[in-house]
Amino acid sequence: RTPEVYARELELGLEVHEVILAATHNAPLIEITRRVYDQLRLALWVEVRWIDQWTMAVAEHRAIVEAMLDRDAPRAMAAARAHVRSSRDNMQMIREVATSHPLATEAAIQVLREGGSAMDAAIAGSAVMAVVEPQMTGIGGDCFALVTPNGGGDVIAFNGSGRAPAAASVDRLREQGFTDIPVDSIHAVTLPGAIDGWFRLHGRFGRLDMARLLQPAIGYARNGYPVHARVARDWRKARTHLAKRDAARALFLPDGESPAEGMIHRQERL
């Protein structure tokens, strides 16, 4: 079943629930229902597999409504308390993760659900970001981290910035006619620090296997991911730079155009 099918079912479901709830004149419960459906819509962004989480929330809500229609106040209150506890647990997990892309956030949250450490979640989310936000970050970049072990004590600063190549020389670059380093030049690239940074941080603070942490990113690179609206906007702005080099043009400008919002993009070689 496609996200489009789920989206239509969600709209119909919300209409039906609002009709039922209107008869109860229970404004707080109506608001809760709308929030549940907002969460379901968000789930469509983070892949259909998350629909199970929100399907459970809807089932809990249905139990509340059925008890109210049966005029069974004790059962309705018990169902409402169970729903609040479940929602609180889910939202607590969500509050512990923040990225600029829902797919990266989802990957990090899932790692926490499986018992991973905060560092595990950070690595999993960062790896996904390197795939789904190629205009912002990548495995050829740097890695900086501020870590508070066990949530307290001294803050550990990690500097995973890349260095200039050992054989690089200012005089040699000047001989080649450079007075500055163009942003799209190979000479602007430092030795990547991200991968080594991930492994060093994982060795000290990680809990789950690194292969598990990288699996979501590998899946999106191999099978594709939907292009986010903000990513699509940045991509359009970078078309001129991307078109200058054959490799970049072939990967990031399929059919000569930057991918539009919602299109599926793949990076199988990555």
Side-chain angles (χ1 to χ4, degrees), residues 10-25:
L10 292 179
E11 296 305 323
L12 291 173
L14 179 55
E15 291 174 12
V16 171
H17 277 83
E18 285 185 332
V19 170
I20 295 173
L21 291 169
T24 69
H25 304 290

Side-chain angles (χ1 to χ4, degrees), residues 4-268:
E4 290 76 17
V5 172
Y6 275 117
R8 181 55 186 154
E9 290 182 353
L10 292 179
E11 296 305 323
L12 291 173
L14 179 55
E15 291 174 12
V16 171
H17 277 83
E18 285 185 332
V19 170
I20 295 173
L21 291 169
T24 69
H25 304 290
N26 189 320
L29 195 54
I30 292 174
E31 181 61 26
I32 289 174
T33 303
R34 288 174 177 157
R35 290 182 182 179
V36 167
Y37 277 91
D38 285 342
Q39 292 172 334
L40 281 162
R41 292 189 189 95
L42 173 62
L44 296 177
W45 250 110
V46 292
E47 291 198 353
V48 174
R49 68 170 180 270
W50 248 40
I51 207 75
D52 292 340
Q53 298 290 331
W54 307 121
T55 299
M56 180 177 66
V58 170
E60 293 168 351
H61 172 248
R62 184 182 296 114
I64 300 172
V65 173
E66 289 174 350
M68 291 179 64
L69 293 176
D70 291 341
R71 300 182 182 280
D72 188 339
R75 179 157 61 94
M77 288 302 298
R81 290 191 182 98
H83 175 64
V84 169
R85 284 195 298 270
S86 176
S87 298
R88 185 185 299 123
D89 291 343
N90 276 327
M91 293 309 297
Q92 178 61 36
M93 191 74 73
I94 292 172
R95 282 196 296 268
E96 293 173 357
V97 174
T99 80
S100 59
H101 199 291
L103 295 179
T105 300
E106 189 265 348
I109 290 173
Q110 188 58 40
V111 165
L112 293 178
R113 286 199 176 105
E114 294 177 18
S117 66
M119 185 58 68
D120 288 336
I123 292 170
S126 295
V128 170
M129 294 279 289
V131 178
V132 302
E133 282 201 354
Q135 87 288 10
M136 289 292 187
T137 186
I139 62 173
D142 302 327
C143 173
F144 302 94
L146 295 175
V147 186
T148 54
N150 301 316
D154 295 334
V155 177
I156 298 172
F158 181 84
N159 182 356
S161 57
R163 297 186 178 185
S169 163
V170 173
D171 291 337
R172 185 176 179 184
L173 290 172
R174 284 174 175 160
E175 290 172 2
Q176 296 178 38
F178 289 103
T179 57
D180 58 13
I181 304 297
V183 68
D184 59 350
S185 165
I186 187 63
H187 301 296
V189 180
T190 60
L191 295 178
I195 298 298
D196 185 52
W198 291 351
F199 275 87
R200 287 174 181 262
L201 290 166
H202 180 262
R204 186 168 179 182
F205 304 109
R207 190 177 299 153
L208 301 184
D209 187 76
M210 181 64 89
R212 161 62 189 89
L213 304 183
L214 299 181
Q215 199 57 48
I218 293 171
Y220 289 127
R222 179 177 294 144
N223 303 319
Y225 60 92
V227 176
H228 193 282
R230 171 56 192 270
V231 176
R233 189 185 75 177
D234 291 345
W235 220 319
R236 286 194 300 272
K237 293 181 178 180
R239 281 181 297 184
T240 301
H241 286 300
L242 294 171
K244 292 180 180 179
R245 300 190 178 277
D246 293 342
R249 184 168 58 249
L251 178 59
F252 295 114
L253 297 177
D255 300 322
E257 294 293 336
S258 59
E261 177 186 356
M263 286 184 62
I264 301 300
H265 184 256
R266 294 176 175 82
Q267 298 194 58
E268 296 181 54

